[in-house]
Amino acid sequence: MNTLNQSLNDETAISLAELFRTLGDSARIRILAALSDEEHNVSNLAALAGLSESATSHHLRHLRQMRLIKSRKEGRYVYYSLDDDHVKQLVSCGLEHVRHG
Amino acid sequence: MNTLNQSLNDETAISLAELFRTLGDSARIRILAALSDEEHNVSNLAALAGLSESATSHHLRHLRQMRLIKSRKEGRYVYYSLDDDHVKQLVSCGLEHVRHG
DNA sequence: TTAATATATGAACATATATTCAGGTATCAA
DNA sequence: TTGATACCTGAATATATGTTCATATATTAA
């Protein structure tokens, strides 16, 4: 078992920072929270997160590029969902710190 | 047990985003990694993280304000350490996603 | 076809943020 | 005291980033 310090070369630190930066926006957090229950299309997500559809679309692209969410197209609609349960775990882990802090 | 969506009101989403944004910088990640083994003073941290002492000091203040690290003064030196093991856990949780992703 | 809906995209703008620089305080040694 | 070391801080600057706006594509309905 390696220590955190041994595991974290510069390249890994950059990737890790990118991941956390992606989570570091309250709009994207609201989107992920909405997706933690069930999949939603863009319009729904925009309404749930209180964002314009354009802003939502930009955020969704960002989240997808970071492999936090995935999409599925059905007719005119594109349904987004969390990529896996690990995302939920990561957000929950942060939540614990916020509550306990 | 609440779902993520139920736990995350707007205020909580903002706090959570602030936490993740604090972790969303590779310099701060390197600092936290260095601190995961043992405490260090500012000059050491600057050298370990490859930063100027001024930049390091700015980052340390940020990390301390977010309660991720704590400090202890001894003579001319100020020693920093992780605030608790939960910080290490949070970083490790992100690391898993980076590796597995 | 035409019109409406759903989503995506790039440019522009405004704000946020990381770093440097200059200077400040505090501690210790000579 | 004087000088050196360790750390901190605010201003300035350069870069990053979120949102809006205009527009484009794709799908469906009429």
Side-chain angles (χ1 to χ4, degrees):
Chain A
M1 199 56 181
N2 286 337
T3 67
L4 252 185
N5 195 28
Q6 290 167 338
S7 304
L8 269 172
N9 55 21
D10 284 8
E11 192 188 353
T12 307
I14 290 174
S15 300
L16 190 52
E18 281 174 357
L19 169 63
F20 282 130
R21 216 180 314 141
T22 301
L23 297 173
D25 178 271
S26 61
R28 285 192 289 271
I29 289 289
R30 290 195 304 275
I31 290 174
L32 292 176
L35 292 178
S36 73
D37 285 336
E38 48 185 346
E39 67 177 11
H40 289 286
N41 63 28
V42 180
S43 302
N44 277 352
L45 281 173
L48 289 169
L51 297 167
S52 74
E53 297 188 2
S54 178
T56 304
S57 192
H58 281 294
H59 284 306
L60 289 171
R61 177 170 50 173
H62 188 166
L63 288 165
R64 199 157 64 91
Q65 283 173 343
M66 296 301 294
R67 295 172 190 270
L68 295 174
I69 62 175
K70 58 190 176 190
S71 64
R72 159 179 94 76
K73 185 165 182 177
E74 187 177 316
R76 281 184 287 188
Y77 301 89
V78 177
Y79 292 96
Y80 284 88
S81 56
L82 298 188
D83 190 75
D84 63 21
D85 271 4
H86 192 261
V87 178
K88 217 183 293 185
Q89 195 183 342
L90 189 48
V91 174
S92 297
C93 195
L95 251 184
E96 262 191 63
H97 185 89
V98 168
R99 296 198 186 294
H100 193 272
Chain B
M1 202 53 180
N2 287 337
T3 68
L4 250 186
N5 195 28
Q6 290 167 339
S7 305
L8 269 172
N9 55 23
D10 284 8
E11 193 188 352
T12 308
I14 290 174
S15 299
L16 190 52
E18 281 175 357
L19 169 64
F20 282 131
R21 215 179 315 140
T22 301
L23 297 172
D25 179 273
S26 62
R28 285 193 288 271
I29 290 289
R30 291 197 303 276
I31 289 175
L32 291 176
L35 292 179
S36 72
D37 285 337
E38 48 184 344
E39 66 176 11
H40 288 287
N41 63 27
V42 179
S43 302
N44 277 351
L45 281 174
L48 289 168
L51 298 167
S52 73
E53 297 189 2
S54 178
T56 303
S57 192
H58 281 293
H59 284 306
L60 290 171
R61 176 169 50 172
H62 189 166
L63 289 166
R64 200 157 64 92
Q65 283 173 344
M66 297 300 294
R67 297 172 188 270
L68 295 175
I69 61 174
K70 58 190 175 187
S71 65
R72 158 179 96 75
K73 186 165 182 178
E74 187 177 316
R76 283 183 287 188
Y77 301 88
V78 177
Y79 292 96
Y80 285 88
S81 55
L82 299 188
D83 189 75
D84 62 22
D85 271 3
H86 192 262
V87 178
K88 219 183 291 185
Q89 195 183 341
L90 188 49
V91 174
S92 297
C93 195
L95 251 184
E96 263 190 60
H97 185 90
V98 169
R99 297 198 186 293
H100 192 271

